[in-house]
Amino acid sequence: MADREMSKDLTLEQAIGYVLRVERLDRGLKQIDVAVATNFGVRSIRTMEHGNQSMTIRSLDALAMFYQLPIEEVLIRAKRLRDSSHQLEPVRDKD
């Protein structure tokens, strides 16, 4: 996703997933940590973070609460990400 054009072509799911993945990594957490704390499976966390699945509002709310972010903040960041012309920084797990 380091290509400049990719930020313009992000789906909402991908943008939200990117925001959540950055939050997780900034906190030094692994996907398993989030899965255990939120009662989601690791596969679900991975799928949501990569934007391969639409989240329900309940799922998004649970993850936003876990990261202690208002749900609106997650959506605002995702919208800004989609609207920006900045390059996305590659985010890699160490898992």
Side-chain angles (χ1 to χ4, degrees), residues 2-94:
D3 181 46
R4 184 175 191 157
E5 292 301 310
M6 285 296 286
S7 64
K8 294 179 183 176
D9 295 333
L10 283 177
T11 65
L12 181 59
E13 291 85 356
Q14 290 169 327
I16 290 170
Y18 186 88
V19 169
L20 294 173
R21 189 165 59 250
V22 167
E23 284 297 322
R24 176 177 59 78
L25 293 173
D26 283 351
R27 288 168 165 74
L29 299 172
K30 295 182 178 185
Q31 289 175 338
I32 187 72
D33 301 323
V34 178
V36 168
T38 60
N39 291 319
F40 290 115
V42 174
R43 185 180 297 176
S44 293
I45 297 295
R46 184 180 318 117
T47 302
M48 288 185 280
E49 285 186 356
H50 289 279
N52 296 331
Q53 151 184 329
S54 292
M55 282 183 235
T56 65
I57 195 72
R58 286 184 180 166
S59 298
L60 180 55
D61 186 52
L63 290 168
M65 285 177 57
F66 173 74
Y67 292 120
Q68 297 179 329
L69 292 171
I71 196 169
E72 312 85 66
E73 181 64 24
V74 175
L75 295 172
I76 289 167
R77 289 184 193 179
K79 173 87 168 94
R80 285 183 186 149
L81 185 63
R82 286 184 71 200
D83 291 346
S84 76
S85 59
H86 297 91
Q87 285 185 308
L88 292 179
E89 294 296 321
V91 183
R92 305 249 186 258
D93 276 316
K94 295 177 184 173

